[in-house]
């Protein structure tokens, strides 16, 4: 069942997503070789709570942390740990927060220090594919149009799309209907309508698309890097209004922004 949101509810969704955006900005300030992913998690949890929110992932389906921190070949759902980031790593930081009864959800993949050019190119293409998906999310299109646009953008550049995980409706609950896969056929799936709130989140691999799943763990089968970017959007006046934001991240990264 898809819950379309009112304008008032969308503004509350925006507030939750702006808290996530500011939290990711705080995390961005900390990303450097030597910093552990658990330190990033602590920064995020403290910031969310200091600003009146509750971490959206902590306790969700038993997930034990505020952030998913997925390094290199880890696709998603990486547990923050005492692993210290190294020069040349990439780390996707996925963050959720609940504020005033609504969920925010957004993810950014950060380069750590000097990253291989082919990996940086993967990050840029994955981020760009997110915006290609968002531009396709207009009234009258279908979810499959968004999926196909992301898939076409990535595969035409030689990357592959993770099949096992996808974007989702979002609102009072973190994961609502409909599912928003990053691959699919145009003209299929639910119609995009005003009031629809979805998280679009391409998970794109440098090598083959296959992943190994084991509990929360999700890694690429070939051990090559995987990137993940996510925005929460609402359809308003027939087109996508991005409720989350990378502006705080990009302000923090300055010239290191991808
Ligand atoms: Mg997320
Ligand atoms: Mg999500």
């Amino acid at each position: 069942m898809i819950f379309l949101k009112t304008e008032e509810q969308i503004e509350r969704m925006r507030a939750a997503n702006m808290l996530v955006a500011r939290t990711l900005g705080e995390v961005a300030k900390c990303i450097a070789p030597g910093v552990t992913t658990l330190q990033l998690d602590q920064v995020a949890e403290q910031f969310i709570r200091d600003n009146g929110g509750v971490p959206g992932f902590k306790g969700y389906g038993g997930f034990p942390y505020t952030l998913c921190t997925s390094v290199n070949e880890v696709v998603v759902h990486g547990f923050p740990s005492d692993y210290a980031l190294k020069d040349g790593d990439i780390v996707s930081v996925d963050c959720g927060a609940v504020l005033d009864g609504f969920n925010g959800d957004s993810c950014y993949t950060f380069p750590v220090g000097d990253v291989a050019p082919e990996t940086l190119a993967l990050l840029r293409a994955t981020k760009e594919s997110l915006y290609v998906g968002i531009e396709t999310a207009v009234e009258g299109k279908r979810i499959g149009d968004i999926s196909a646009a992301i898939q076409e953008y990535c595969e035409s550049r030689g990357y592959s799309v993770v099949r096992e995980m996808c974007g989702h409706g979002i609102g009072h609950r973190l994961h609502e209907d409909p599912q928003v896969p990053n691959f699919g056929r145009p003209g299929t799936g639910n119609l995009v309508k005003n009031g629809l709130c979805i998280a679009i989140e391409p998970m794109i691999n440098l090598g083959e698309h296959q992943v190994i799943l084991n509990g929360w763990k999700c890694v690429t089968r070939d051990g090559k890097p995987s990137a993940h970017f996510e925005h929460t959007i609402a359809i308003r006046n027939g087109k996508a209004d991005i409720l989350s934001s990378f502006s705080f991240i990009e302000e923090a990264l300055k010239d290191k922004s991808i």
Side-chain angles (χ1 to χ4, degrees):
M1 166 126 190
I2 296 174
F3 299 103
L4 299 177
K5 276 73 178 178
T6 64
E7 283 288 308
E8 188 263 335
Q9 290 172 324
I10 289 171
E11 289 317 307
R12 288 161 68 187
M13 295 271 303
R14 192 189 310 279
N17 277 285
M18 287 311 284
L19 176 55
V20 170
R22 288 163 56 215
T23 305
L24 287 172
E26 293 304 305
V27 170
K29 292 176 191 170
C30 305
I31 301 266
V35 173
T36 70
T37 51
L38 199 54
Q39 287 174 301
L40 301 179
D41 193 73
Q42 286 159 353
V43 165
E45 178 165 5
Q46 193 65 48
F47 189 83
I48 290 169
R49 293 192 191 281
D50 286 350
N51 285 280
V54 175
F57 300 166
K58 200 165 188 171
Y60 184 90
F63 189 82
Y65 296 99
T66 295
L67 300 177
C68 300
T69 54
S70 306
V71 178
N72 297 334
E73 75 281 4
V74 182
V75 179
V76 287
H77 304 154
F79 280 22
S81 71
D82 58 5
Y83 175 80
L85 295 171
K86 294 195 312 289
D87 189 55
D89 282 347
I90 57 170
V91 56
S92 90
V93 179
D94 195 348
C95 181
V98 182
L99 188 68
D100 190 23
F102 281 93
N103 280 275
D105 188 9
S106 180
C107 177
Y108 195 94
T109 303
F110 297 89
V112 182
D114 226 357
V115 168
E118 63 170 5
T119 306
L120 269 184
L122 168 72
L123 299 189
R124 292 193 183 107
T126 305
K127 185 178 167 199
E128 193 53 39
S129 78
L130 168 60
Y131 289 105
V132 167
I134 290 170
E135 279 162 25
T136 311
V138 296
E139 206 178 19
K141 293 273 193 185
R142 293 183 179 273
I143 296 295
D145 294 310
I146 302 171
S147 307
I150 292 170
Q151 180 177 20
E152 157 65 17
Y153 186 90
C154 294
E155 289 184 349
S156 68
R157 284 159 179 79
Y159 304 116
S160 61
V161 176
V162 172
R163 306 299 204 252
E164 287 77 0
M165 257 88 47
C166 60
H168 49 92
I170 179 167
H172 284 308
R173 287 186 298 126
L174 175 61
H175 293 133
E176 297 184 354
D177 289 337
Q179 291 199 338
V180 185
N182 298 302
F183 68 102
R185 282 188 298 119
T188 63
N190 291 100
L191 271 170
V192 174
K193 292 179 182 168
N194 282 325
L196 180 71
C197 291
I198 50 175
I200 301 180
E201 47 179 318
M203 290 153 256
I204 307 299
N205 295 348
L206 186 61
E208 61 183 24
H209 73 78
Q210 287 88 352
V211 299
I212 299 170
L213 279 168
N214 186 1
W216 285 107
K217 204 174 162 74
C218 179
V219 300
T220 58
R221 192 175 70 176
D222 61 12
K224 292 186 178 174
S226 183
H228 180 203
F229 287 82
E230 176 180 28
H231 272 314
T232 295
I233 67 165
I235 308 304
R236 296 179 63 236
N237 303 315
K239 61 183 174 53
D241 182 351
I242 304 176
L243 303 180
S244 46
S245 172
F246 295 151
S247 62
F248 300 96
I249 293 172
E250 281 160 1
E251 204 175 296
L253 295 181
K254 297 194 180 73
D255 56 329
K256 287 183 289 180
S257 190
I258 64 154

